[in-house]
Amino acid sequence: SNAQTLTEQWQITADDVLLHALPIFHPHGLFVAVNTCLAAGASMIFHQGFDVENIIADLPEATMMMGVPTFYTRLLSQLQLNHNITRNMRLFISGSAPLLAETHERFEARTGHKILERYGMTETNMNTSNPFEGDRKAGTVGTPLKGVNVRITEPDSDKELPDETVGMVEVRGANVFQGYWNMPEKTREELRSDGFFITGDLGRFDKDGYLQIVGRQKDLIISGGFNVYPKEIEDVLNDVPGVLESAVFGVPDPDFGETVVAAVIPTSEQSIDIDALKKTVAKNLARFKQPKTYLELENLPRNAMGKVQKNLLRAQFS
């Protein structure tokens, strides 16, 4: 079901050649990449892993590539990446972790291609996608796929919330799994009787019906009774000159329950001006959202699919 929907959505045909370097123990590499190629009768250049020089060498032979954000930042580090080397490419897709708006913009400037971002989970495969034809909004994961229902609800109930309101992302469709293997209690907790799956992701729809993922519910910080959404702070931090990327997380605090901590990665070997960073944050965010502590790190801990592991940051710095 999902492979057929994606093949139609992304207009994949037997003439396409996919440049494949994702791990196939993960739905992105197996269900999204391989299955759509099989459904369309397309060809595939199959790499054992992502070696940026080998990928650059094969780009002229391919028409599509699916990757995680790390793929695109590594490609941008190569001087060979330009309009000419990607002239045969039809579509670049990104998923499994949020793609920075800056990466979107830099990639389009270098290649002329606007990366298509989509949203899925192991339990559901793909749920939403930016359009193949139409406005691909950086910072969003597009609109619901055909045959997939997506709603935003109050986290503690199934009450549906209006657009522009942050809540729990719930999904229903033929793409949703039947349940967790040999875990009936967990299945009952996360699959509602009307077929909606409670994703654990917090998000909101904008006025145009595009979904923005704000973060995981488990990453929500509750400080002094206020809900703090890390991505809102990260978006501000990532726009500050000298900051390559950031990760915001909560640590225990005796007065507020949790306090906000920001880990920031510099764009170069030069240290980040933390005082200037604080001033920028103060201009853009309410006081309760402002990090109380800033950590300058060389890199952020990630899993095999490029997702930042905030649980490791919490454990290290609590």
Side-chain angles (χ1 to χ4, degrees):
S1 163
N2 209 231
Q4 289 170 345
T5 299
L6 294 174
T7 300
E8 180 182 331
Q9 172 91 14
W10 297 335
Q11 300 184 22
I12 302 171
T13 72
D15 293 328
D16 277 307
V17 179
L18 176 72
L19 186 52
H20 191 324
L22 290 161
I24 56 169
F25 60 74
H26 189 275
H28 192 171
L30 187 61
F31 299 144
V32 184
V34 175
N35 282 3
T36 53
C37 279
L38 291 172
S43 302
M44 192 165 63
I45 303 172
F46 195 25
H47 285 245
Q48 189 171 2
F50 187 86
D51 180 288
V52 69
E53 292 181 358
N54 290 337
I55 295 296
I56 285 281
D58 280 343
L59 269 176
E61 309 303 319
T63 64
M64 295 191 305
M65 190 181 94
M66 301 184 192
V68 297
T70 308
F71 284 16
Y72 295 105
T73 55
R74 289 180 182 173
L75 283 171
L76 283 166
S77 70
Q78 301 298 301
L79 295 176
Q80 305 100 300
L81 184 73
N82 54 34
H83 283 67
N84 186 52
I85 203 170
T86 59
R87 66 188 181 279
N88 197 42
M89 291 295 293
R90 188 178 66 81
L91 185 59
F92 287 98
I93 297 170
S94 181
S96 296
L99 186 71
L100 295 178
E102 180 196 6
T103 306
H104 257 289
E105 293 160 6
R106 289 177 59 209
F107 197 85
E108 185 177 8
R110 288 274 295 276
T111 67
H113 290 277
K114 199 162 190 174
I115 299 169
L116 185 151
E117 200 168 4
R118 83 302 177 278
Y119 163 64
M121 301 181 70
T122 300
E123 293 93 337
T124 65
N125 290 317
M126 298 302 103
N127 302 308
T128 71
S129 172
N130 271 278
F132 177 74
E133 294 175 344
D135 187 17
R136 298 178 191 173
K137 284 191 177 183
T140 78
V141 290
T143 58
L145 295 169
K146 187 175 75 173
V148 180
N149 300 122
V150 180
R151 68 185 184 186
I152 306 296
T153 63
E154 288 185 343
D156 297 326
S157 74
D158 60 357
K159 180 184 176 183
E160 198 158 350
L161 296 172
D163 289 350
E164 305 286 356
T165 306
V166 173
M168 179 64 67
V169 179
E170 298 190 7
V171 179
R172 181 175 64 186
N175 57 308
V176 177
F177 75 152
Q178 292 182 337
Y180 293 101
W181 180 252
N182 288 335
M183 299 176 74
E185 288 185 12
K186 185 174 175 64
T187 299
R188 280 194 295 270
E189 288 172 1
E190 300 190 17
L191 269 175
R192 296 192 186 278
S193 58
D194 60 1
F196 273 94
F197 173 64
I198 304 168
T199 65
D201 288 323
L202 298 172
R204 61 174 163 238
F205 280 110
D206 69 13
K207 59 182 176 57
D208 298 317
Y210 283 66
L211 180 64
Q212 179 188 16
I213 302 299
V214 175
R216 294 289 290 169
Q217 185 182 34
K218 65 183 179 182
D219 292 331
L220 173 69
I221 303 165
I222 302 177
S223 184
F226 292 102
N227 286 354
V228 179
Y229 300 102
K231 191 174 186 302
E232 182 182 5
I233 305 169
E234 290 164 357
D235 285 344
V236 172
L237 293 172
N238 293 340
D239 280 342
V240 177
V243 176
L244 177 64
E245 61 178 339
S246 62
V248 171
F249 57 98
V251 297
D253 182 89
D255 292 328
F256 293 95
E258 286 185 295
T259 191
V260 182
V261 178
V264 290
I265 312 300
T267 54
S268 64
E269 294 180 1
Q270 188 174 351
S271 292
I272 296 169
D273 186 339
I274 299 298
D275 288 335
L277 196 60
K278 288 180 179 178
K279 289 177 182 176
T280 301
V281 170
K283 290 178 184 176
N284 290 278
L285 294 171
R287 191 174 182 83
F288 72 90
K289 298 177 183 179
Q290 297 171 25
K292 302 300 182 290
T293 303
Y294 290 85
L295 305 166
E296 186 173 332
L297 307 179
E298 290 184 4
N299 50 59
L300 297 173
R302 298 180 184 276
N303 65 14
M305 295 306 296
K307 289 182 181 178
V308 175
Q309 295 178 294
K310 291 187 179 180
N311 59 315
L312 299 183
L313 290 171
R314 280 192 291 268
Q316 183 176 355
F317 296 107
S318 286

